[in-house]
Amino acid sequence: MMRTRPLKVALLGCGVVGSEVTRIMTTHADDLAARIGAPVELAGIAVRRPDKVREGVPAHLVTTDATALVKRGDIDVVIEVIGGIEPARTLITTVFEHGASVVSANKALVAADGAALHAAAEANGADLYYEAAVAGAIPLVRPLRESLAGDKVNRVLGIVNGTTNFILDKMDSTGAGYSEALDEATALGYAEADPTADVEGFDAAAKAAILAGIAFHTRVTIDDVHREGLTEVTAADIASAKRMGCTVKLLAICERAADGASVTARVHPAMIPLTHPLASVREAYNAVFVEAEAAGQLMFYGPGAGGAPTASAVLGDLVAVCRNKLAGATGPGESAYTRLPVSPMGAVVTRYHISLDVADKPGVLAQVATIFAEHGVSIDTVRQSGKDGEASLVIVTHRAADAALSSTVGALRELDTVRGVASIMRVEGE
């Protein structure tokens, strides 16, 4: 039998995502009530600019006093979609102190301060859900946190930023340079006016921290994630990847060490073989590849951003949290029992693609090969071309530690015959 007294919901933020949340809660109210077991009522919407026209948003619910809204004693769940660290952190902490639960899409805050937020929620018998913080509409947090809770996840490899995937896809399919592809992404609304968070990897790094923490049951913050953006990727890199039967993607990679004693989390451009499922992810779509001991290889694919997709994830969490409220229970909290350390990037082992500009004369290749051997980096293939006294060496290594590769490159730069290191890119997914 359905409870007639509604569960009251407060909404913090009413931009692209918040407006979609409002629309869905209004137009699908009966369905949501049937799925939850009680009606849900939008009791207030906190915004910064109350005079802004928001189609379909009830004006009488709008307020600029977010603190007063979350302190109301009748609020059951607060949906936070304002983003950023403050005032979101203070508001969410206040919500927990007043006994309400939180559904958030705030990747930056969860990646930076998730442990403290989980502790506050647990101390007050409340829920903290954030499916929408990682990959838009793609169900990923809940499968990792619940569906795979009985399994051992060893690796999470994914494309978790639509803007960068669009840019790299255009560079690959049209031969465009980075700046041209970025301009197209901006014109189509895939890139912000200031694209730094996306193209420098900050957005993906926050998501990697969240995924690593859940997958490996340990605490990983954004400061633990090695980050490289894609601004240095050139059309020549893309062309070289094609010659290897690869494509270039900005990847978030979270791995458990072979001995199980540590984990790594990193974001950087990488070449992946065209045979890998992630290679076919086009445009602004996201996809995450999970490797688990018992389940094997799983792939989650879909739109990773946008108002409606992100609102879908928010509403999914809302249903779950409201069901918990009715049952007088809470869902899964933080699981960090393994307490695994996060290894530095230097310990990461992978393959590398290195392009060198060298003098076109006898003995250069032998000099370069000697440097690699002295630093314990094994060469898999070499391609050499050149004329008029200048040449290019493209070297693909076997698997080597990042620290060993870095020392190798440092030594190469000291050779008189090496004019420059044109590019270095990791090779993943093999």
Side-chain angles (χ1 to χ4, degrees):
M1 183 175 178
M2 184 180 294
R3 192 182 83 163
T4 56
R5 185 173 67 81
L7 290 161
K8 294 194 175 183
V9 178
L11 177 63
L12 305 181
C14 198
V16 174
V17 176
S19 296
E20 279 295 317
V21 168
T22 302
R23 181 187 66 79
I24 295 172
M25 286 187 67
T26 302
T27 59
H28 298 288
D30 291 343
D31 286 335
L32 289 172
R35 294 165 191 170
I36 292 168
V40 286
E41 175 188 323
L42 193 55
I45 304 171
V47 300
R48 286 182 298 178
R49 294 180 291 168
D51 298 331
K52 180 181 177 180
V53 176
R54 298 176 175 86
E55 187 176 346
V57 176
H60 70 282
L61 296 179
V62 174
T63 177
T64 57
D65 195 342
T67 302
L69 177 60
V70 301
K71 284 184 175 181
R72 280 175 45 176
D74 61 338
I75 299 297
D76 296 290
V77 183
V78 173
I79 297 172
E80 182 269 311
V81 290
I82 56 179
I85 303 299
E86 289 291 355
R89 175 166 47 198
T90 298
L91 289 170
I92 288 175
T93 302
T94 303
V95 171
F96 291 143
E97 290 170 352
H98 285 76
S101 291
V102 170
V103 172
S104 177
N106 195 333
K107 55 187 170 287
L109 180 57
V110 175
D113 213 18
L117 295 177
H118 275 293
E122 183 178 359
N124 292 281
D127 274 324
L128 172 63
Y129 276 49
Y130 42 85
E131 183 68 68
V134 175
I138 304 173
L140 189 57
V141 170
R142 193 173 290 114
L144 283 173
R145 191 163 63 173
E146 300 178 32
S147 303
L148 294 173
D151 207 340
K152 181 182 180 182
V153 176
N154 291 316
R155 195 176 197 223
V156 180
L157 173 75
I159 298 164
V160 294
N161 183 275
T163 300
T164 53
N165 199 58
F166 180 89
I167 291 170
L168 289 171
D169 182 46
K170 289 303 172 186
M171 292 176 70
D172 182 83
S173 61
T174 68
Y178 165 75
S179 296
E180 297 168 87
L182 173 60
D183 288 344
E184 184 174 354
T186 304
L188 293 173
Y190 291 124
E192 301 287 345
D194 179 1
T196 302
D198 294 323
V199 300
E200 294 292 355
F202 291 101
D203 176 85
K207 296 169 182 177
I210 295 170
L211 292 174
I214 297 171
F216 307 134
H217 303 277
T218 195
R219 286 181 178 170
V220 180
T221 72
I222 191 169
D223 293 334
D224 297 317
V225 181
H226 174 82
R227 176 192 56 78
E228 299 172 28
L230 56 73
T231 56
E232 300 301 318
V233 177
T234 66
D237 293 327
I238 302 291
S240 191
K242 284 186 174 182
R243 285 192 290 270
M244 288 178 57
C246 293
T247 188
V248 177
K249 299 291 186 183
L250 186 78
L251 298 179
I253 305 170
C254 312
E255 294 178 306
R256 190 190 299 268
D259 62 3
S262 64
V263 299
T264 58
R266 51 198 166 103
V267 168
H268 55 71
M271 296 180 180
I272 58 172
L274 294 176
T275 54
H276 194 283
L278 291 178
S280 62
V281 178
R282 307 295 301 275
E283 299 285 333
Y285 277 79
N286 285 191
V288 176
F289 202 71
V290 177
E291 298 175 11
E293 197 166 88
Q297 297 179 332
L298 309 170
M299 182 163 157
F300 301 84
Y301 169 84
T310 306
S312 171
V314 168
L315 269 296
D317 277 352
L318 178 65
V319 169
V321 169
C322 286
R323 286 173 176 170
N324 292 342
K325 281 281 183 182
L326 293 179
T330 55
E334 183 191 31
S335 176
Y337 73 92
T338 64
R339 296 182 174 86
L340 295 173
V342 182
S343 295
M345 187 63 189
V348 169
V349 176
T350 189
R351 297 178 70 206
Y352 293 86
H353 175 281
I354 305 107
S355 179
L356 303 174
D357 295 326
V358 299
D360 186 14
K361 62 183 184 179
V364 173
L365 179 55
Q367 286 183 321
V368 169
T370 298
I371 294 293
F372 274 84
E374 288 175 347
H375 290 81
V377 179
S378 176
I379 294 175
D380 182 19
T381 63
V382 177
R383 187 175 69 250
Q384 184 173 8
S385 62
K387 61 180 180 179
D388 300 328
E390 298 297 327
S392 173
L393 285 180
V394 176
I395 297 170
V396 179
T397 73
H398 288 289
R399 290 174 62 82
D402 189 83
L405 194 284
S406 295
S407 63
T408 301
V409 172
L412 289 171
R413 294 184 191 276
E414 298 298 319
L415 291 177
D416 292 338
T417 51
V418 174
R419 310 296 194 217
V421 180
S423 70
I424 303 171
M425 192 170 294
R426 296 170 184 89
V427 182
E428 302 284 349
E430 295 185 312

